[in-house]
Structures are given as structure tokens and as C-alpha cells.
Amino acid sequence: MRNAILLALTLLCRISAFEPTRLKNSFSSSFMKQKYMPSKTLLGCQLLGMNCATPTDFTFSWKGFARRGGDTDVHCHGWGITFYEGRGIRAFHDPSPACSSPIAELVSNHPMRTYNMMAHIRYATQGSVCLENVHPFHREMWGIQWTFCHNGDVPLFKTDPGELPWIGDVHGDQTYYPVGDTDSEKIFCAILNSLKVKFPTLPSLPVLHEYLRELLQEIVDSDQEGTILNFLLGCGQYTQFAYSWPGSRPGSNVWNGLHYVVREFPFKRTALCDCDYAVDFSELNEDDSRVALIATKPLTLNEEWVEFERGQLILFDDGIPHLSPEHSFSLDSELSGHGLDSKYHPSIQPLLALEEDMRRYESKRISQTYTAEGI
């Protein structure tokens, strides 16, 4: 039955790439006119991420999130969802509005479990409304599937076609290039290019966390006032980074940021914001279950969502938010097999790598402290 469902999803996805679904009759005529036109307004896209301690069904959150794709909100220029299954990923993309897409409806009605997923609904501000510009994007690096979706406006990457800026302190050959026309995909490719050149062996998660923060600071420093940068970055079946440099476009009161909530024991009944639907999670989860959800705007009515701080990069693993590289060192993600894992790229034994990285990180932190204090 499960294979039949996945086959149906795949076939529908192929059809939708050539025949975008028509909006439901309930939409206004003005909404119909803008359906397949890039936006000239000051809005952004929306993101949804989920990271779990045990394989978890994401259809509850997806039901609410998909309504924002043209029903309760105006993000009608396509949607995508990517989730990990072992070392592989399943990805579905559609340039049609999520609220009326038959593929999105199938995803809503057929539970599929994963440790790690992300989804995106688009309001086009750069690039045409077409399949190649629909997030999440994905690439293979180091024998690992990396996934990425983004919301914001990054002047550094609003470059001419064929021009891809370099970021990072080590230069080298560019391996990854965009397929579509968005600054989002350029950002993703630039991050991967920098990581590939920087690390000849697989880094531990704390070291990856630290270097990503440096790259993101470089991007933001290029134009702090004009940059809005919110993204989700998956780096394997267990782990997901989320970053927020929030803001509003000039003349707009639409705030583009990120929020997260951790759902764990004791579980309770939870209701969605965007549709009349609620679930009692105490009936569906075990005591050891834990789910971290990340969203542009809170999805539920009766949970305490936390807004990301400006410039905050959080590593989510096992449903736990790791707020800093230091925090990552104190946890056993690496030793439990949740670090970067490749059959083909050289790596160091996890314990030895962590011990060495802890020494280097502490030495660097002390050096920076002395420099800051003028010692």
C-alpha cells in the first residue's frame, strides 16, 4: 500500500510539472490573475522544518502549512517538501498553489514518517514561477544528501546570471551551480562550495556549526540593513540547521523571521492556526518521542513558540535545539551516529575527531578572548 501511495505521488508530481493545478473557485479574481506571475510586492516565502527523536509523521503540521499556500495566506507560487529516508530523500515539488494541489492533498492524507523534513511555500520575488525555482533544493556532497530552503532577500547574491559570489576564508574551485534563477539557490551553492573546499575530511557537527556561523556573518556583513536571511539546511537524515537574520522589506510591515517549538512528553491536544483541525498527541506518541518544529510563523494556537534571535544559527538533532557549537560538544549526537556520515568521503573516528575538535575550539575561543580584552 505504501509503495502504491508513493508511486501515485511521483506520477502526480510529473503531471503537475506540465499542467499546473487550477485554483479553487473560492479564490478572488485578483488572486487568479497573480497566480503564475512573479510578485511585485513586499512579501516573502514561508518555511517549515521538522526534526525528531524517533521517525514521526509530519501530516498534522503540513495540513496547516499547506493552507498558507494560497488560502489563508498568499504564497501561491509553488511549494515543495523534502524528507529523509535513510541515506536517501523523497522530494515533491509543484509550481501550483499548495492549497489546491492534488499532490499536496495526497501528502496531507497519507502519513509518512521521518527523522528530518523541510517544506517551503513560495511567493515569487526573484525568478519566474516555474518548477526549477521551487524550494527545497538538494545536492549531493561528500556522499551525503544536503537540502535547503530559504526566505528573505540577500543583496550579495543578486548578481548577474552566471555570476556566483565566493564566501569563506579558503578559495578553490566551484563545484555547485544554480539551476534556476533565485538568489536562494545561489546561497545554497555558495555554502556548499565553501564547505567542500574548507574540509578535506568530514567535520564534526560542532565544527560545522562554527564555520557556518562564520560564513553567514560574512554574508550579513556585506549589507546588514538590506539583508533578510532565513533558511533551513539539512545535512543527512538526522540533522538540520536553521538560521535567522530577520527583517521587513522597505515599506512593508510583513516580518520575515523564524520560530521554533519542541513538542515532547507530557504531550497534549494541539490545534492548528490555519484550519479547524486538532490532534491529541498524548494518544499518538511514546514517552521518548520528541519533535522540534521550525516555521516562519507559528503553526499552532496553544503552544509556546520561541522566536529566533537575530543572527542565531541553531543545530537541531534528535528533536533538540543546540544553540551554539559549545552546546553541541556537550551532547552525544556524534557518538550516537548522528554526525556527518559518508561511505566514500574520508573521516576520522567520531571520538578522536570530537576530542581534537574540542581542543582546537577551546584554543581558538581563548585566543579570541585575549584579543578582545587586549591581552
Side-chain angles (χ1 to χ4, degrees):
M1 181 62 181
R2 182 172 180 274
N3 289 337
I5 291 168
L6 291 171
L7 177 60
L9 283 167
T10 303
L11 291 173
L12 276 169
C13 194
R14 290 174 179 172
I15 292 170
S16 70
F18 299 97
E19 298 180 5
T21 309
R22 294 193 175 276
L23 290 169
K24 293 181 178 178
N25 294 332
S26 59
F27 288 115
S28 66
S29 59
S30 62
F31 217 90
M32 290 288 285
K33 290 177 182 177
Q34 72 167 352
K35 175 181 158 190
Y36 297 116
M37 296 294 291
S39 165
K40 300 293 185 182
T41 71
L42 304 173
L43 301 170
C45 305
Q46 289 203 29
L47 315 179
L48 169 66
M50 185 184 79
N51 181 265
C52 315
T54 57
T56 302
D57 162 30
F58 53 81
T59 53
F60 173 76
S61 298
W62 174 249
K63 282 180 185 291
F65 187 67
R67 303 320 304 164
R68 298 178 180 181
D71 184 4
T72 61
D73 217 324
V74 295
H75 304 82
C76 60
H77 298 132
W79 65 274
I81 188 167
T82 300
F83 57 96
Y84 286 83
E85 189 173 305
R87 294 178 181 270
I89 57 171
R90 294 194 185 273
F92 302 100
H93 297 79
D94 190 347
S96 305
C99 70
S100 58
S101 166
I103 314 169
E105 184 70 16
L106 271 174
V107 172
S108 296
N109 293 332
H110 297 286
M112 287 171 278
R113 296 179 178 272
T114 183
Y115 287 103
N116 212 15
M117 67 79 69
M118 66 178 64
H120 183 276
I121 48 175
R122 187 171 184 236
Y123 199 78
T125 56
Q126 181 176 334
S128 60
V129 180
C130 56
L131 192 60
E132 62 263 32
N133 288 332
V134 176
H135 310 215
F137 306 107
H138 55 89
R139 299 287 193 278
E140 176 277 326
M141 182 174 73
W142 300 330
I144 300 167
Q145 294 280 6
W146 296 70
T147 55
F148 180 88
C149 59
H150 164 251
N151 157 22
D153 195 8
V154 184
L156 178 63
F157 288 91
K158 291 189 178 297
T159 55
D160 294 332
E163 182 182 349
L164 182 61
W166 185 271
I167 55 174
D169 57 1
V170 180
H171 286 256
D173 295 332
Q174 291 184 331
T175 303
Y176 301 97
Y177 295 93
V179 175
D181 310 314
T182 66
D183 58 342
S184 304
E185 193 177 12
K186 287 183 179 180
I187 296 165
F188 181 37
C189 291
I191 289 173
L192 293 185
N193 283 329
S194 183
L195 293 178
K196 188 176 179 67
V197 171
K198 175 73 173 180
F199 297 108
T201 58
L202 294 178
S204 65
L205 290 177
V207 166
L208 178 61
H209 193 164
E210 181 190 24
Y211 190 61
L212 282 173
R213 288 206 307 189
E214 294 176 10
L215 295 179
L216 299 173
Q217 192 62 51
E218 179 181 339
I219 293 173
V220 167
D221 285 346
S222 67
D223 187 346
Q224 290 198 10
E225 294 302 316
T227 295
I228 302 171
L229 177 59
N230 305 288
F231 70 73
L232 306 176
L233 174 68
C235 50
Q237 64 176 316
Y238 299 113
T239 307
Q240 181 171 165
F241 286 94
Y243 176 79
S244 181
W245 185 270
S248 296
R249 290 186 170 90
S252 173
N253 61 0
V254 177
W255 185 252
N256 296 292
L258 280 180
H259 301 75
Y260 74 92
V261 66
V262 177
R263 191 177 293 152
E264 59 188 340
F265 182 84
F267 295 96
K268 61 183 179 180
R269 182 177 176 83
T270 303
L272 292 170
C273 297
D274 295 86
C275 59
D276 185 14
Y277 189 73
V279 165
D280 187 347
F281 285 105
S282 66
E283 299 177 354
L284 301 175
N285 291 281
E286 303 296 332
D287 291 354
D288 61 347
S289 299
R290 182 173 49 249
V291 177
L293 292 167
I294 311 107
T296 302
K297 297 191 298 185
L299 284 171
T300 54
L301 295 171
N302 57 335
E303 292 183 298
E304 296 296 323
W305 290 75
V306 179
E307 184 170 10
F308 278 58
E309 296 178 6
R310 189 175 181 86
Q312 188 171 35
L313 176 68
I314 301 178
L315 165 63
F316 290 89
D317 181 86
D318 210 32
I320 299 171
H322 306 347
L323 304 183
S324 67
E326 298 95 320
H327 189 205
S328 301
F329 276 124
S330 68
L331 299 168
D332 63 354
S333 298
E334 212 86 28
L335 300 182
S336 64
H338 286 198
L340 299 182
D341 181 32
S342 171
K343 291 182 177 180
Y344 300 100
H345 196 74
S347 61
I348 303 172
Q349 289 296 322
L351 182 58
L352 296 177
L354 272 182
E355 290 175 349
E356 178 61 25
D357 286 344
M358 288 176 72
R359 284 193 292 269
R360 283 185 291 185
Y361 185 84
E362 184 64 16
S363 175
K364 182 177 180 179
R365 187 188 63 80
I366 293 172
S367 175
Q368 290 174 339
T369 301
Y370 285 169
T371 301
E373 295 177 353
I375 300 175

